[in-house]
Amino acid sequence: MSTTATRVAPATLRTATGREATRWVTAHCREIPWLTTATVLTTVVGAALQVLPVLLLGRVVDGVVEGESRSVLLTVGVLMGAAALLGAVATAVSTYLIGRLGADLLARLREGAVRAVLGMPSARVEQVGRGDVLSRVGDDVAVLSKGIRMAIPTVFSAGVLVFIATVGMFGLDWRLGLAGAGALPAYALALRWYLPRSAPLYKKQRVAQADRAQALISGLNGIDTVRAYRLEDSVREQVTHESWRVRNYGIEVFRFFGRFVGRENRAEFIGLVLILVVGYALLEADAASLGEVAAAPLMFHRLFTPLGAIMFTFDEAQKSGASLTRLIGVLGEPAEERLVGDAGVTPADT
């Protein structure tokens, strides 16, 4: 008897891990360094220019309290307007570059996934089911394309803005910065509750969509057999069952995300209250200027918009992440199971 074990192909196409997906994206970003660098720089500059008017507003408050000349206040006002205008331009350029970078990555990924699928033997396609194959090169590509256009630019830009605004708050006064940082445990608890539960839920939703596609395709391909054996009701029931599964997962995802938003709002309330209390105490002790104390709540409030954008697009970003791992999983199908070409990815080490 041979001691060499026969490798049995899995019954479904593989799904890549988050680490594999990150490596693939990083590797392809390095292939276009000028676009990647320009995207990062414009995003950082745009975020800094959006935060600058809030810092200058604190300077205006202190100037009024100290009785500075009108020309100084006018100069600060002009700087605020220029910063806001340049920030808007930089943000627009950043959004365009993020979309262009994402479109380039999507084109490479889609080409590789289609090549991998076309290179599979028909026996492998029949083994995993046509629904799974078509859902990956069809539905998953569509979901990822939508995420690249909408969610991913928003999440990336908002994340950079949150970081810059946090640094700016500490720049006003480290004690006010620490007060704002008091909301971080609430944010961390919300994310710790949400992330481990959301990723498996999105994967189940994508699998359910693949099962629904498989039920539909099987029924349509075998329509003559279905009619000959009068299996219409059975096929219809199966399609209905799979459709209800997709619908139920969609409702569950929406409810779950709503609970996450409530926890994020709680964190915002905690941070704003802490900043107001600490700011009042610093003013009473004459340990900070009125401009600093006035700018700190505005700076923290400035975080609400990007954090809200992240929350309300996180649902789409999670879907995009699940689709990305499924598509990269197709690229990682064993090389010996392809008849043509190379999908452009090295299978992960096992």
Side-chain angles (χ1 to χ4, degrees), residues 65 87 107 136 141 182 207 231 239 249 340 345:
V65 172
R136 298 207 186 204
V141 169
V207 170
L231 298 175
V239 172
Y249 276 125
V340 295
V345 70

Side-chain angles (χ1 to χ4, degrees), residues 17 30 37 118 147 154 193 216 226 242 256 284 288:
T17 63
R30 289 174 179 172
T37 302
L118 293 177
T154 300
W193 173 84
L216 285 168
V226 170
E242 299 299 341
F256 191 73
E284 287 294 311

Side-chain angles (χ1 to χ4, degrees), residues 17-250:
T17 63
R19 183 174 298 179
E20 288 178 82
T22 301
R23 285 203 303 263
W24 187 92
V25 172
T26 302
H28 282 76
C29 285
R30 289 174 179 172
E31 295 178 5
I32 42 177
W34 68 270
L35 181 57
T36 302
T37 302
T39 300
V40 173
L41 287 179
T42 54
T43 303
V44 172
V45 170
L49 289 173
Q50 291 184 58
V51 170
L52 184 59
V54 179
L55 298 176
L56 292 176
L57 182 61
R59 177 71 179 83
V60 169
V61 173
D62 287 337
V64 172
V65 172
E66 296 170 2
E68 292 187 354
S69 64
R70 184 175 300 178
S71 61
V72 173
L73 298 180
L74 180 61
T75 301
V76 175
V78 171
L79 290 176
M80 291 175 61
L85 180 61
L86 292 176
V89 173
T91 301
V93 174
S94 170
T95 301
Y96 166 76
L97 291 177
I98 293 173
R100 184 174 174 181
L101 178 62
D104 184 271
L105 295 177
L106 178 62
R108 299 184 183 201
L109 180 58
R110 179 169 49 196
E111 179 183 355
V114 171
R115 171 178 287 186
V117 168
L118 293 177
M120 291 180 189
S122 58
R124 177 61 174 156
V125 176
E126 293 296 335
Q127 180 188 32
V128 300
R130 297 181 185 179
D132 189 20
V133 174
L134 291 178
S135 69
R136 298 207 186 204
V137 297
D139 292 342
D140 285 322
V141 169
V143 169
L144 188 56
S145 177
K146 181 180 179 182
I148 287 175
R149 293 196 314 270
M150 300 173 59
I152 294 177
T154 300
V155 170
F156 181 71
S157 300
V160 174
L161 180 56
V162 167
F163 175 77
I164 296 295
T166 302
V167 173
M169 191 179 304
F170 275 92
L172 290 171
D173 189 286
W174 65 269
R175 292 158 294 192
L176 293 172
L178 287 179
L184 293 180
Y187 281 117
L189 288 174
L191 289 173
R192 184 178 179 183
W193 173 84
Y194 179 72
L195 292 178
R197 295 170 174 83
S198 60
L201 188 59
Y202 282 112
K203 288 182 180 179
K204 290 179 180 178
Q205 185 184 38
R206 301 301 301 143
V207 170
Q209 291 174 340
D211 292 340
R212 179 181 61 181
Q214 177 64 28
L216 285 168
I217 293 170
S218 297
L220 291 175
N221 287 342
I223 189 64
D224 294 334
T225 303
V226 170
R227 289 174 176 172
Y229 288 92
R230 300 183 182 277
L231 298 175
E232 293 92 340
D233 292 339
S234 176
V235 173
R236 187 183 300 111
E237 288 177 3
Q238 183 180 5
V239 172
T240 301
H241 172 73
E242 299 299 341
S243 298
W244 274 99
R245 281 183 61 211
V246 174
R247 175 257 189 192
N248 290 337
Y249 276 125

